Amino acid sequence: PWLRYRADARPPLLPLCSPPPPFHPHGAARAQTFGLVRVVPILVGALSAERERQYGELFSRYLEDPSNFFVISSDFCHWGERFRYTFYDPSYGKICESIEKVDRMGMGCIESLSPEKYQAYQAQFDNTICGRHAIAVLLHALRASADGKVGLAGAESLWDIRFLHYSQSSRVMRPSESSVSYASAVLAARG
């Protein structure tokens, strides 16, 4: 099953990466409880690749606990002059098709569960995925959770990510237009 619910889990933990969490006046995010669900907002900003790995290792133990539920929230490509991102490869077709091709390449890297592939993709395209660092932290957490358990098989033998939907706010045809892409995916433990 794609989403497993454990009725005996009290309370489930739901870390959020975006939208921005409510803050205390002193700047620290606060946990909120909604019924039986305790929500722990975690805002992930710009991180180095090393910090992404470190935070991924830190979160891996929480990821392994079936009473915890993670939501990693992010838009995908923000395309247009107002976003200062106008990558366009005419060999991919119209501008909107180029945007989708680049987004789907990133989605493929995420589905591969490889932080290195995702990092290389970002180095090549510098796609304006808002939650790119949160996604990288997740990929590192998945890898860290698999370390020592599956030998050479890696995270892909324990976890599965599938993208279920992709859309764009507008189908850009001219350089003067802009668009934001959206994609949704589900992560599930195998087995």
Side-chain angles (χ1 to χ4, degrees), residues 59-66 68 70 138 141-142 145 159 187:
F59 283 115
S60 68
R61 70 181 181 142
Y62 300 102
L63 190 65
E64 294 169 2
D65 182 344
N68 295 335
F70 282 74
L138 173 66
L142 295 170
S145 76
W159 302 100
L187 167 68

Side-chain angles (χ1 to χ4, degrees), residues 80-120:
E81 288 294 332
R82 68 187 179 131
F83 300 118
R84 288 179 253 146
Y85 186 77
T86 55
F87 176 85
Y88 172 51
D89 185 335
S91 71
Y92 297 155
K94 299 172 191 163
I95 295 173
C96 59
E97 294 167 336
S98 176
I99 294 167
E100 182 170 350
K101 174 77 172 176
V102 171
D103 278 341
R104 289 198 183 274
M105 284 189 269
M107 293 159 65
C109 293
I110 294 165
E111 287 180 330
S112 78
L113 303 176
S114 169
E116 293 79 18
K117 286 181 184 177
Y118 183 67
Q119 184 178 21

Side-chain angles (χ1 to χ4, degrees), residues 35-77:
L36 296 175
V37 178
R38 182 178 169 113
V39 177
V40 179
I42 301 169
L43 182 63
V44 177
L47 299 173
S48 67
E50 177 60 18
R51 287 285 189 209
E52 291 169 348
R53 184 192 61 73
Q54 289 172 345
Y55 285 117
E57 289 175 359
L58 176 73
F59 283 115
S60 68
R61 70 181 181 142
Y62 300 102
L63 190 65
E64 294 169 2
D65 182 344
S67 68
N68 295 335
F69 183 80
F70 282 74
V71 174
I72 311 297
S73 178
S74 176
D75 298 334
F76 262 63
C77 183

